[in-house]
Amino acid sequence: MIEFLLNYETLRVIWWILLGVLLIGFAATDGFDMGVGTLLPFVAKTDAERRVAINTIGPVWEGNQVWFILGGGAIFAAWPALYAISFSGFYLAMFLVLLALIMRPVAFKYRSKRPDPAWRTGWDRALFVGSAVPALIFGVAIGNTLQGVPFHFTPDLRPIYEGSLFGLLNPLALYCGLVSLAMLVTHGAAWLTFKAEGMVAKRARAVGTRSAIITAVLFAGGGVLVWLGLLGGYQVTSPIVWDGPSNPLIKTVVADGGAWLANFHAHPMLWIVPALGVAAPLLAAAGFRARLEGWTFIASNLGVVTIIATVGLAMFPILLPSSSNPGHSLAVFDASSSRATLRNMLIATVIFMPLILAYTAWVYRVLWGKVGEKSVEKAGSSAY
């Protein structure tokens, strides 16, 4: 059994799954942080209400961002070619995300340092931008990945990216960005109804009901775009050697508008995942209306998981397709690190991941309970 788990073929698939788990973990945890920040101008009208909203995520946002760091580290170590292409090709977009993510912690730390309304309003706007921009850009990145990215490799495997920032901001990618934004706004609203009291929770419930329906409609519309072949599609046509060398140039890939549906046609049970991607936001909308706070947050999490999982299942075994030279696309079986690297990383993950999950669960247990204006006022300057 251990020998099977540690062979090259299995390790590659395991690390593809783990990459998905890390990205989903980031979206499910830091996603509601970004959702709350995006909702701040709409659910909180007074300084006290804004402090309530911010304090629902203030104690946990730093820990939630660990998933983002782990995801980036996993790409760097397990899929170095993917890291090289995505982080260099999407450099300007990543730079915008980095600026936004820098604004968020600064806003958290400095917002309540002074009682001046203008000072606090400025940091509230920074918190909004620092939350909404990443939520949008991450979806744009997924949209570009589905369509294919213009890159190729030289004979010595040096990656060459041929696109630009404005090429990334194309209509179909922006559509995917809106799906991401609506999904995380819904997730943030579900968190606020679960954690906040008073008018903040009431307004979040109203906004969340609408954004959940929008999420379901946009995601279903994205499925129609895939069905029509408008979001691209790439298929490996040469024999796949799962334990072969990490060389993207030794396979054949063709652009095929229906390729992103091939895995679902081959394995019909997989249709459950995108179906839940539509149904879960609608269940969240019903939960908002029925004021079932816990179930609403669970449904929102389910929506996040299944929407992201749908993309991974549709693209497998492709990691990053090349629109300019499909044969140079990166795949699970030819873009990984060495067997020894994947094996050692898996051993470390088996040891440390349970510790991270246990600590995270303990933190949320300690911080259990709702946040209201009275509790924020009682905390005084120690609160955000």
Side-chain angles (χ1 to χ4, degrees):
M1 180 65 178
I2 294 178
E3 182 179 351
F4 169 75
L5 289 174
L6 296 182
N7 68 48
Y8 206 7
E9 173 183 347
T10 307
L11 284 169
R12 281 170 160 166
V13 176
I14 288 175
W15 273 102
W16 173 77
I17 295 172
L18 286 175
L19 177 60
V21 169
L22 292 172
L23 294 178
I24 289 172
F26 168 65
T29 55
D30 207 38
F32 68 71
D33 291 352
M34 290 186 283
V36 171
T38 304
L39 285 171
L40 192 61
F42 309 102
V43 300
K45 303 302 182 182
T46 66
D47 181 67
E49 290 176 351
R50 286 190 285 272
R51 292 190 73 193
V52 168
I54 293 171
N55 275 275
T56 63
I57 58 175
V60 297
W61 69 268
E62 288 176 293
N64 291 342
Q65 288 203 152
V66 168
W67 291 98
F68 181 59
I69 298 170
L70 290 175
I75 295 174
F76 174 77
W79 312 101
L82 175 62
Y83 182 91
I85 291 293
S86 59
F87 279 76
S88 60
F90 296 168
Y91 179 79
L92 291 177
M94 291 291 185
F95 186 73
L96 290 176
V97 170
L98 181 61
L99 285 178
L101 292 178
I102 289 173
M103 293 172 68
R104 271 211 314 160
V106 176
F108 275 121
K109 296 300 183 182
Y110 281 91
R111 184 204 182 270
S112 295
K113 295 299 183 183
R114 293 174 56 186
D116 180 27
W119 170 271
R120 294 189 172 187
T121 299
W123 288 117
D124 290 340
R125 290 172 180 168
L127 189 57
F128 168 77
V129 172
S131 301
V133 169
L136 178 69
I137 295 297
F138 287 138
V140 169
I142 295 296
N144 279 283
T145 300
L146 287 168
Q147 295 176 79
V149 178
F151 71 89
H152 69 273
F153 289 93
T154 62
D156 59 352
L157 295 183
R158 183 167 62 90
I160 305 295
Y161 178 75
E162 302 163 346
S164 66
L165 174 62
F166 295 104
L168 296 175
L169 300 176
N170 60 78
L172 290 175
L174 288 171
Y175 181 92
C176 293
L178 292 177
V179 176
S180 172
L181 183 61
M183 177 183 74
L184 296 185
V185 164
T186 301
H187 202 33
W191 176 256
L192 283 174
T193 59
F194 184 68
K195 286 290 291 182
E197 295 178 341
M199 290 302 297
V200 172
K202 181 178 180 180
R203 295 190 189 106
R205 191 175 298 114
V207 174
T209 302
R210 293 191 288 270
S211 64
I213 295 173
I214 292 171
T215 299
V217 171
L218 288 176
F219 181 64
V224 172
L225 294 177
V226 172
W227 193 278
L228 296 175
L230 297 179
L231 271 175
Y234 296 83
Q235 185 175 11
V236 180
T237 56
S238 59
I240 295 177
V241 182
W242 283 98
D243 57 353
S246 290
N247 184 347
L249 304 184
I250 59 176
K251 67 178 181 301
T252 303
V253 178
V254 296
D256 179 358
W260 292 154
L261 298 175
N263 288 336
F264 298 101
H265 292 317
H267 307 281
M269 287 292 293
L270 293 179
W271 285 108
I272 295 174
V273 179
L276 287 174
V278 176
L282 295 178
L283 290 174
F288 281 121
R289 295 291 297 272
R291 300 193 177 190
L292 299 173
E293 300 164 355
W295 286 108
T296 302
F297 189 60
I298 292 173
S300 177
N301 272 293
L302 180 62
V304 170
V305 171
T306 51
I307 287 173
I308 296 175
T310 296
V311 177
L313 292 173
M315 294 183 61
F316 185 82
I318 300 291
L319 289 172
L320 184 66
S322 170
S323 58
S324 59
N325 195 330
H328 291 202
S329 300
L330 301 178
V332 174
F333 57 86
D334 66 8
S336 72
S337 293
S338 68
R339 176 179 177 272
T341 299
L342 298 182
R343 180 198 61 210
N344 294 338
M345 288 173 56
L346 180 61
I347 293 172
T349 301
V350 170
I351 294 173
F352 292 107
M353 183 62 76
L355 297 177
I356 294 174
L357 292 174
Y359 177 75
T360 301
W362 177 77
V363 168
Y364 278 88
R365 175 68 177 173
V366 170
L367 298 172
W368 194 261
K370 287 185 174 290
V371 179
E373 293 187 26
K374 290 183 179 179
S375 61
V376 171
E377 291 174 1
K378 184 178 179 180
S381 60
S382 62
Y384 287 89

